[in-house]
Amino acid sequence: MFYAIIGEDRAGSLAERLAARPAHLERLRALQDQGRLLLAGPFPAIDSPDPGPAGFTGSLIVAEFASLDAAQGWAEADPYVAAGVYAAVTVRPFRKVLPA
């Protein structure tokens, strides 16, 4: 089943986000290589694909896991969590409808 992982950035965490980004992307690429990643990306803090110093307000990852517990465990081990980027992380079951 798919799960939506929503990370909400802590205010002022752009430097930590940038430092942890390579390790964060490595884990996402592993999911992609396993065919389990539906989508992933950040929420820009302003209406721009490149928000510059305005940074980001969080991230969305939708990926396949065996269970909610497995998805939560994966989310808790994210480098952004370890670096203090995320103030909160929510994991919810997700049902893909479209595109079919």
Side-chain angles (χ1 to χ4, degrees):
M1 176 162 193
F2 285 111
Y3 294 87
I5 300 169
I6 303 114
E8 298 176 40
D9 284 16
R10 180 179 51 77
S13 64
L14 181 58
E16 291 89 347
R17 175 183 266 275
L18 295 175
R21 188 170 188 263
H24 173 76
L25 291 178
E26 183 178 326
R27 294 179 82 234
L28 291 172
R29 285 191 188 102
L31 287 177
Q32 183 178 14
D33 291 347
Q34 297 165 13
R36 296 170 45 206
L37 182 65
L38 184 62
L39 63 88
F43 299 116
I46 59 173
D47 189 13
S48 172
D50 181 6
F56 301 90
T57 61
S59 301
L60 170 64
I61 299 164
V62 179
E64 188 175 21
F65 293 92
S67 67
L68 179 59
D69 286 342
Q72 288 172 326
W74 188 91
E76 290 168 6
D78 193 290
Y80 284 172
V81 172
V85 174
Y86 291 154
V89 178
T90 304
V91 181
R92 300 170 60 179
F94 178 82
R95 184 173 153 227
K96 181 180 180 281
V97 175
L98 295 173

